[in-house]
Every structure is written in structure tokens, then in C-alpha cells.
Amino acid sequence: MTDDIQRPDLSPSTFAMPDGRSLHLYGNFSNAPVWPPGEGHVRGYSHRRWHPVRREWVVYSAHRQGRTFKPTTDCPLCPNSPDGEIPVDDFEIAVFDNRFSSFQKDCPRPAPIPGLDLPVDSAAGNCEVIVYSADHMATIGSLSQGRRELLVRVWGERVRALMALDEVAAVMPFENRGEEAGVTLHHPHGQIYAFSYMPPVIETMAQSFRDGYAIQPLTKLDAYRTADAETACALVPPFARFPFESWIVPKTFRASPADLTDAEVRDVAKLLSVVSRKYDAHFGRICAYVMIVYLAPKGMEDFFPFHIEYCPLLRASNKLKYLAGCELGSGSFLADLVPENTAKILQNIKMEEVS
Ligand SMILES: [Zn+2]
């Protein structure tokens, strides 16, 4: 299947799954999905409670903990896998509602907790899984440039679709990569969370950007730039919290991946490959990381910049960066490497141009 064609029309083909969830197929796919007969999976609802000391919401999803685990060696993200999520012969990018979603579009309001004056609310929103390829062994670094460009465009399209829902306040695509990040499915995929409230980290970032902090000047700092393209670059932020933290930042302010020009889509897609391959080259193994796509929450499109942050969980090939007492207890990060030195290490790993 060819996958390097620019597709201006990104309308997905959307199919209703037997349990009411949606499957969206982007790009080319071989055939309409066919699910085995049955009622599908029973869905549960989450709720959130206010943490009055930390002043943040905690989301409770009892249906996730109690889910039946069907032992199987089949990958549910491979095409036509038994009990899989994508029953087609081949596809390019697939997006579907997470079977055990922490947030739900039709989430009911919970009852108050008897005897407690504790705010509770519905966990309205959505959780989607985004599968980058039908190839179980692919990685974001090994995908073709055309497929990565399609991925960046699909992020934009999902953001647009989810932000159009009245209850959605903020959308955050992300990828957990590697076993140390808790990933048991190696099939290349990420997730897209849609929140009905402002999560605390995004709220703090919004305050900084509202107050005038801008990230675009970081792209001009030669000492911190680790990979450059015409319209975007990868860099180590001078205030990195994680050893080997990297950001991908467009050189011009954009609020969302949906707002990128064709050239910016091309460059962000290239840098996605370069950053992850540099990590793997440096550590000599698949580097576990959490990659977060930050974008403007609803109503903040004038000042909140789209950018991508990588939090690698390794500090050496056999050493994990643990969030321990100081980080979890106080919120203060302790780093062993100063960002200037991290940047030098990553600058010295040369990657061939991705075609
Ligand atoms: Zn698979």
C-alpha cells in the first residue's frame, strides 16, 4: 500500500463498532470493517472527585480496574486480529474510542458522596487510541515520512473534531513508549485524551502563556537546538526537568497541529523521526519515553502554542529516571545532567535525512 501521497481531504471513514464506539480510518484502507456477531463490550462510566488539599481533580474509573483480561497472544491493534479493534485487512491510520475509556462522551453526573462535602462531577470527555500503522513492528522513527505527515494531520483532525464537542475544554494527544512507560502493546500507537475541565499542568502552562511567556525564541538558541528544519526545530529546553528532555517547536506560533502549513507538517513529521531515532541511537536500545502533544485549550488559541514535549524515562541505557521522594513529594525535579550538556550529546548524534 502506498503511503506517501499528500491528501488534502482528511475526512475519515467512520464506522460504528458493535458496542457503540466509533472507528475512524484515515488514508487508504483495504475494506470495510467486519466485526464478529455479538453484543460487543459492556461500557462503564467514570467520575471525578475534587482533591481539596492539592486542589485538583482525581478521575475514578472502577470499570477499568475490574475489566476482564482475556489472555491472548494476539495483538488487538493488528489488522484482523481475533477480538481485535480493527477488523480490516490493511489500513494506514486508525483511531477508535478506547474500550476502557477514563472519560466518556455521554458520562452521567455522579451522586454526591454521602456524609462528605466533597465536590464530584462527571468524567465527561473522551479517550481515543490512534494506531500509526498496520505493521506491528513499526515505530514512529521507522514509519515513512508520508505516514508521519498523515499522523500529524490526523492529530489536527481529531483535535478539531473533539474541540467541536461542547463539553470538551482541552485535548492532549500523547504516546507512552516502551515497557518502562507501562506499555504492554508494542504495536505503534498513541492516545488522544479530551478533557471537560482544565488539567492542572495545562492550566499552569496556560497561565504562563497568558502572562506572555513565548517558546518560539527558544528555537533561536544554537546551544540548545539538536535538530533543525526550515520551519521547526528540536531542542533541549534550558530548564529541562528530565535527563534528555526534548521539545519540537514550530518557528512560528501555531495554536494546534490543525493550523500547521504543509511545510510545517513536513518538518514536524521529520523531527518526530529524528528525535526518537537519536534517543534510540544514544541509549543503544528502544528508549522509553512519554511524548506529549500540547496545544491550545478551547478559547486560548491566541496565546497557547502547539509544541511537542518528550520525557524520556532513561538516564542511561540501563538506568531509569525514577520520580521519587523529592519529585513526587515536593514537585521539585532533581536532574543530573545540565541541559547544555544534554544538547551537546544529542547534537553530536548525526542522523541521515529522512526521505
Ligand atoms: Zn500489532
Side-chain angles (χ1 to χ4, degrees), residues 22 34 134 156 170 180 228 318:
S22 295
V34 181
E180 293 89 348
D228 201 12
N318 58 352

Side-chain angles (χ1 to χ4, degrees), residues 26-355:
Y26 289 89
N28 297 320
F29 58 96
S30 55
N31 55 293
V34 181
W35 282 273
E39 295 178 0
H41 302 88
V42 178
R43 302 185 69 193
Y45 291 107
S46 310
H47 72 279
R48 56 191 160 110
R49 298 180 184 182
W50 184 247
H51 191 308
V53 180
R54 291 184 59 95
R55 297 188 171 183
E56 60 194 34
W57 289 104
V58 183
V59 178
Y60 296 90
S61 309
H63 58 284
R64 283 170 62 89
Q65 187 67 18
R67 64 186 187 261
T68 45
F69 178 71
K70 294 183 179 173
T72 173
T73 52
D74 296 312
C75 167
L77 307 184
C78 273
N80 270 338
S81 182
D83 199 34
E85 302 282 21
I86 315 164
V88 300
D89 293 334
D90 200 2
F91 63 90
E92 292 193 311
I93 289 188
V95 177
F96 58 86
D97 297 322
N98 194 321
R99 189 183 291 188
F100 298 103
S101 185
S102 297
F103 302 100
Q104 295 90 24
K105 279 183 206 162
D106 49 357
C107 194
R109 192 169 286 274
I113 304 167
L116 272 182
D117 184 21
L118 193 68
V120 295
D121 209 334
S122 82
N126 204 33
C127 298
E128 298 183 337
V129 177
I130 175 167
V131 186
Y132 306 161
S133 167
D135 177 2
H136 185 83
M137 300 307 290
T139 69
I140 203 164
S142 74
L143 294 176
S144 71
Q145 169 67 7
R147 181 64 58 82
R148 265 190 310 275
E149 290 181 12
L150 182 60
L151 172 63
V152 174
R153 292 182 193 279
V154 172
W155 280 337
E157 283 309 299
R158 294 318 303 156
V159 167
R160 233 194 282 265
L162 290 164
M163 284 292 197
L165 302 173
D166 286 343
E167 67 269 30
V168 170
V171 176
M172 188 182 80
F174 62 92
E175 178 186 348
N176 300 326
R177 185 194 200 220
E179 288 178 14
E180 293 89 348
V183 176
T184 51
L185 283 175
H186 296 288
H187 200 114
H189 71 288
Q191 307 189 53
I192 304 174
Y193 272 34
F195 301 88
S196 59
Y197 60 95
M198 284 287 284
V201 170
I202 297 178
E203 176 70 47
T204 302
M205 294 168 74
Q207 286 172 10
S208 303
F209 297 133
R210 192 184 287 114
D211 290 346
Y213 185 76
I215 60 171
Q216 268 63 43
L218 297 174
T219 65
K220 299 191 170 80
L221 302 176
D222 293 341
Y224 298 90
R225 199 184 309 117
T226 57
D228 201 12
E230 183 190 340
T231 68
C233 71
L235 55 90
V236 175
F239 37 77
R241 297 179 307 150
F242 285 84
F244 295 94
E245 180 172 334
S246 293
W247 292 13
I248 294 175
V249 182
K251 294 180 181 176
T252 303
F253 172 93
R254 303 290 179 212
S256 161
D259 300 337
L260 298 178
T261 64
D262 288 350
E264 287 165 341
V265 167
R266 176 200 66 206
D267 290 345
V268 168
K270 274 186 192 173
L271 292 166
L272 285 169
S273 169
V274 171
V275 171
S276 73
R277 288 186 301 130
K278 282 199 178 201
Y279 283 147
D280 294 351
H282 174 69
F283 291 113
R285 50 167 291 192
I286 292 285
C287 175
Y289 58 65
V290 175
M291 176 189 75
I292 306 146
V293 180
Y294 285 113
L295 56 102
K298 196 176 279 179
M300 301 186 190
E301 295 80 4
D302 289 343
F303 56 84
F304 195 115
F306 155 73
H307 66 288
I308 297 171
E309 296 190 11
Y310 288 82
C311 304
L313 302 182
L314 299 182
R315 56 190 177 90
S317 63
N318 58 352
K319 288 182 183 146
L320 281 175
K321 165 65 183 172
Y322 287 105
L323 299 189
C326 191
E327 287 88 350
L328 282 179
S330 74
S332 281
F333 272 65
L334 309 176
D336 302 327
L337 266 172
V338 292
E340 296 76 28
N341 291 346
T342 310
K344 276 200 193 87
I345 292 168
L346 294 173
Q347 284 163 355
N348 286 333
I349 301 171
K350 303 298 178 198
M351 285 291 154
E352 75 278 16
E353 180 78 5
V354 187
S355 57

